[in-house]
Amino acid sequence: MRITVDEAKCCGAGQCVLIAPGVFDQRDEDGIVVLLAETPAPALNEAVREAAAVCPAAAIHLVEP
Amino acid sequence: MTCSSAASRESSGPALGFPLPVYVICDMLGVPAGDRDRFAYWSDTLLNLTRYGQAEIDAAQAEFVQYMSGHIAAKRAEPGEDLLSELIAAGDADNGGLSDIQLLATGMGLLVAGHETTANMIGKMVGMLLADRTRWERLLADPSLVRTAVEEALRFDANAGFGMPRYLREESEVGGTVLPRGTTVVCSMAAANRDESVFDGADEMDLSRSPNPHLAFGAGPHSCLGQALARTELQVVLEVLLRRLPSLELAVPAEELQRVEGLAIGGLREIPVRW
Ligand code: HEM
Ligand code: SF4
């Protein structure tokens, strides 16, 4: 799985970080999403899908192989 | 968190009542356990449109403001592990932080936004899962469905409330209808959540639905601030009920429940059950 995030759409809600802390972080200054792992370990796929699903700004895109 | 603290027997026979959300908010605000019932009462007077007279509401508001002012002063003097102490530590109004009046409004806002909504949703979720008991049985057989079941309950809830008013700053098109700029619209999340073009079998409750892009918490920068907490509360309640009360069932026919659901605000406050 490959993740991209759209910083322009992100509203800093931090839902992604709560669900998949190893994959997403937020910038200290403004809370905008920081992608820590573009291709996460398969064990994290489920959490990443959930993060993408609940992101209130639809800022997380997944490309599944 | 034990189930017995979340369940209580009520006067109309065995029933589940859910003080849990107000306990959680009190905890978050550092309010001692002994004062929770007063919080629940204040919250109720602020939100219930029919139960109280104006004098009662005014008195309750004044009490609540007085309590919170004292509580905030106490937290300033002696900070704890709670949200208010954190907000106070972040600086006062002169340093980009919150003034006392803003802290007060934050505390009241969290109570109002997070209590009734979650309490009602817990009731509606349990009601929906028991109304067709094959749903409950499916969860008993596979508790790993709790997370998706909670999302599906949020989506499926037909009684989500009035909807969100929005002012259109530019012309928009919805379902083939052009809405001119300057229109105020009410967005029905409940209707969007049953949109056949988004959800396969939108009228079916599918406990394993995924992805589930429902709008129960709104969308965008002002979507529900408490959604992670609300999800956690719903998941924990459901997990614990499945584990502790697997034999749970409705004590009244589901149709009677629907009649309760038909009432104006807020869904099922009381679900008569037995176990
Ligand atoms: C199942 C329970 C809940 C539901 C269904 C719910 C639903 C909503 C909805 C629909 C909105 C408006 C979103 C929008 O305008 O786009 C909202 C906003 C909000 N909610 Fe919730 N909510 C729940 C629980 C909570 C909890 C537990 C808290 C806090 C402890 C909370 C705090 C808030 C706040 C502060 C806002 C305003 C956000 C803003 O305007 O930026 N909610 N909620
Ligand atoms: S959940 Fe979405 S909006 Fe919120 S921080 Fe993550 S990417 Fe940004």
Side-chain angles (χ1 to χ4, degrees):
Chain A
M1 174 195 293
R2 241 182 73 87
I3 312 173
T4 55
V5 293
D6 185 338
E7 288 181 12
K9 273 191 179 173
C10 170
C11 59
Q15 304 297 331
C16 54
V17 183
L18 287 169
I19 294 170
V23 183
F24 303 99
D25 199 355
Q26 287 173 280
R27 292 203 293 246
D28 283 340
E29 317 85 76
D30 53 11
I32 297 300
V33 63
V34 175
L35 188 56
L36 299 177
E38 230 174 83
T39 49
L44 295 172
N45 282 1
E46 211 39 57
V48 170
R49 281 189 204 109
E50 192 173 331
V54 305
C55 169
I60 302 171
H61 292 275
L62 306 180
V63 182
E64 307 259 1
Chain B
M1 210 169 328
T2 66
C3 196
S4 52
S5 74
S8 65
R9 280 162 191 267
E10 284 171 24
S11 52
S12 62
L16 282 176
F18 286 100
L20 175 71
V22 78
Y23 287 9
V24 170
I25 291 171
C26 285
D27 222 47
M28 220 163 71
L29 297 175
V31 169
D35 292 336
R36 286 166 178 170
D37 289 346
R38 300 169 73 192
F39 260 69
Y41 170 70
W42 291 328
S43 167
D44 206 33
T45 55
L46 292 175
L47 284 165
N48 196 300
L49 300 179
T50 51
R51 191 176 303 159
Y52 303 96
Q54 193 60 44
E56 248 175 322
I57 296 173
D58 292 344
Q61 282 239 33
E63 255 177 53
F64 187 21
V65 167
Q66 199 186 5
Y67 180 95
M68 280 302 283
S69 305
H71 184 61
I72 289 166
K75 289 293 165 193
R76 272 200 196 287
E78 216 176 307
E81 300 267 281
D82 55 282
L83 180 67
L84 289 173
S85 299
E86 292 240 352
L87 290 172
I88 290 168
D92 54 23
D94 301 330
N95 305 310
L98 300 181
S99 65
D100 274 3
I101 195 85
Q102 287 169 326
L103 287 171
L104 184 81
T106 303
M108 287 176 87
L110 287 175
L111 180 66
V112 169
H115 171 216
E116 202 95 350
T117 44
T118 316
N120 284 348
M121 196 57 226
I122 289 172
K124 289 185 283 190
M125 171 179 75
V126 173
M128 285 186 276
L129 293 173
L130 294 178
D132 173 351
R133 211 164 177 290
T134 60
R135 295 171 183 156
W136 189 256
E137 280 151 19
R138 189 167 173 211
L139 286 170
L140 285 175
D142 184 0
S144 76
L145 291 175
V146 161
R147 291 171 90 88
T148 48
V150 163
E151 296 305 312
E152 184 67 345
L154 286 161
R155 182 191 75 84
F156 205 65
D157 175 20
N159 200 10
F162 178 66
M164 290 178 293
R166 284 291 184 272
Y167 176 81
L168 302 182
R169 281 188 300 180
E170 41 195 82
E171 189 178 282
S172 315
E173 200 189 305
V174 179
T177 304
V178 175
L179 301 166
R181 171 169 174 252
T183 310
T184 300
V185 295
V186 176
C187 310
S188 166
M189 288 104 73
N193 285 343
R194 299 287 184 109
D195 187 341
E196 290 284 352
S197 69
V198 177
F199 302 99
D200 286 339
D203 286 336
E204 303 289 318
M205 193 175 186
D206 173 359
L207 302 183
S208 58
R209 190 183 293 279
S210 174
N212 189 345
H214 65 73
L215 294 179
F217 293 117
H222 287 282
S223 68
C224 179
L225 181 70
Q227 56 187 284
L229 177 61
R231 285 190 163 100
T232 303
E233 290 187 50
L234 290 163
Q235 289 162 6
V236 168
V237 165
L238 187 51
E239 265 162 32
V240 173
L241 283 177
L242 287 165
R243 197 170 68 235
R244 302 281 280 269
L245 303 175
S247 64
L248 195 66
E249 60 178 38
L250 292 180
V252 295
E255 305 80 74
E256 260 174 60
L257 220 49
Q258 265 149 27
R259 241 184 287 137
V260 186
E261 199 170 9
L263 286 176
I265 3 149
L268 315 161
R269 291 296 306 272
E270 203 176 279
I271 314 158
V273 289
R274 55 173 168 251
W275 61 84

